[in-house]
Amino acid sequence: METGQEETPKKETRACRCSKVSNWLQQQQTVSAMSVDEAAAELSRIDKPETPSQIYYFGLLNQQLGTSAGAIRARFAFVSLAKHEDLDRQQRQLIAILEHHNAERISWLESQTELERQRDTAAAQLGEANEQKALLEQKIEALTEVETSISTRKELE
């Protein structure tokens, strides 16, 4: 009988732990379905997240913004959440995945920003080169006209 009694609390604990991460996953699906405007509006209602669930939600909402600043705030939220002692292994694994995801997102967004800067610089250089080409073509045309007019004068002399 004692063995059977010991197994029941373990099952309840497992169910409880699954329930925690399941709730978080459901919350993640809900936030993923939000538009950027909805996530921003929801964020404006949050004062200061303190509990693990509030911090998790705060991180998800910031992640949903799709901006570099949002990814940085989300990553920071997940890093701080990982420090909470009352999380189970599955929650910690989920947090680690989300933290890594946001770190990668930050890197990707930074590389995109750098690529856009390089593109803009190249476009400006191309514009300057085209202007110089047009000026050179005008000078060549002017020189050709001068040569033609000199040739014509020599023929007339």
Side-chain angles (χ1 to χ4, degrees):
M1 285 245 181
E2 288 181 47
T3 307
Q5 290 174 349
E6 289 177 14
E7 288 180 29
T8 305
K10 287 181 182 179
K11 288 179 183 175
E12 288 175 12
T13 304
R14 283 188 189 135
C16 182
R17 284 184 185 153
C18 290
S19 175
K20 285 180 184 179
V21 82
S22 292
N23 288 339
W24 278 14
L25 290 171
Q26 287 174 350
Q27 199 171 31
Q28 186 175 10
Q29 286 180 335
T30 301
V31 171
S32 293
M34 289 182 180
S35 69
V36 171
D37 291 338
E38 290 171 327
E42 193 66 23
L43 271 170
S44 69
R45 293 185 200 110
I46 296 175
D47 186 29
K48 183 181 177 194
E50 294 176 6
T51 68
S53 291
Q54 291 171 342
I55 296 168
Y56 178 75
Y57 188 57
F58 178 80
L60 291 178
L61 289 170
N62 276 289
Q63 179 177 294
Q64 188 64 16
L65 296 178
T67 63
S68 184
I72 290 168
R73 284 190 301 270
R75 183 175 177 272
F76 180 77
F78 296 131
V79 166
S80 69
L81 184 57
K83 295 175 185 174
H84 280 265
E85 294 178 10
D86 57 340
L87 302 176
D88 63 38
R89 184 180 56 81
Q90 290 176 329
Q91 287 173 307
R92 289 187 187 286
Q93 287 174 338
L94 178 58
I95 292 165
I97 290 168
L98 291 171
E99 179 187 342
H100 180 73
H101 167 75
N102 282 287
E104 291 296 319
R105 181 94 172 128
I106 293 164
S107 294
W108 184 83
L109 289 167
E110 287 174 351
S111 69
Q112 287 300 110
T113 301
E114 177 60 22
L115 288 172
E116 288 171 3
R117 187 192 62 74
Q118 290 174 1
R119 181 200 62 211
D120 293 345
T121 300
Q125 290 172 342
L126 179 62
E128 290 172 10
N130 284 334
E131 287 175 12
Q132 289 176 352
K133 177 185 171 197
L135 288 172
L136 287 172
E137 286 174 347
Q138 288 174 351
K139 288 178 182 179
I140 291 169
E141 188 176 322
L143 286 173
T144 304
E145 287 176 10
V146 168
E147 286 178 355
T148 303
S149 112
I150 290 172
S151 269
T152 306
R153 282 187 193 168
K154 282 185 180 181
E155 287 178 11
L156 293 176
E157 290 178 5

